[in-house]
Amino acid sequence: MLKGYFPEVIDVEFTAAMEDKLDAVEDGRGDWVHILKDFYDPFKGKLARADSELERIKVADEVSDETCEKCGRQMVIKSGRFGAFLACPGFPDCRNTRRINTGTGVPCPKCGEELVLRRTKSGRSFFGCKRYPLCDFSTWYEPVKEKCPNCGGLMVRRKSKQREFVACSDKECGHKTS
């Protein structure tokens, strides 16, 4: 499809020539406005032609095993600018959405529900209880399935500058393994 509508853009010689022109701009020997205008004016016409001639492809939503808690429909997996998320297919009547949480298979030490990978508003990863906000357990470290042999608590994977190791999340216990 791309070869049919944009043969010069896919051409290796075109790409190399454009790279040389952009290198000239970087070195102060070329006018970037002129270079982009020379490229975009003919490209704009070809893009409009491809847009009018090509048929639109509708990608079907992937149905998940999660149920919408607001209307009871099966949630679908959508893709957005921050990645995949669950959405109710009843939009616009039902606008329910939620994050897709990656499970760890490790039970929460407070309530026994699974710990899942989550992200803070700034994008930093952490692990928290699937039942949040009913259970507020969280840790910055990746939990492992083995329990601490000393206290029976949660073991987590930690890293220092020298090595990676598994340690008890209870700092008073202090048990570590390599």
Side-chain angles (χ1 to χ4, degrees), residues 61-128:
D61 294 326
E62 182 182 343
V63 179
S64 74
D65 56 352
E66 302 279 332
T67 304
C68 177
E69 55 271 357
K70 292 185 179 177
C71 72
R73 292 184 179 108
Q74 287 301 116
M75 302 282 276
V76 293
I77 299 172
K78 297 271 189 181
S79 183
R81 63 180 179 169
F82 299 114
F85 64 96
L86 291 174
C88 181
F91 182 85
D93 298 328
C94 181
R95 296 175 176 264
N96 188 25
T97 62
R98 64 177 182 250
R99 292 182 182 137
I100 295 176
N101 293 318
T102 306
T104 61
V106 178
C108 173
K110 275 190 172 180
C111 72
E113 191 64 54
E114 183 178 23
L115 294 177
V116 294
L117 177 64
R118 296 183 175 272
R119 297 210 185 281
T120 64
K121 288 181 183 177
S122 64
R124 186 175 174 194
S125 296
F126 72 99
F127 297 88

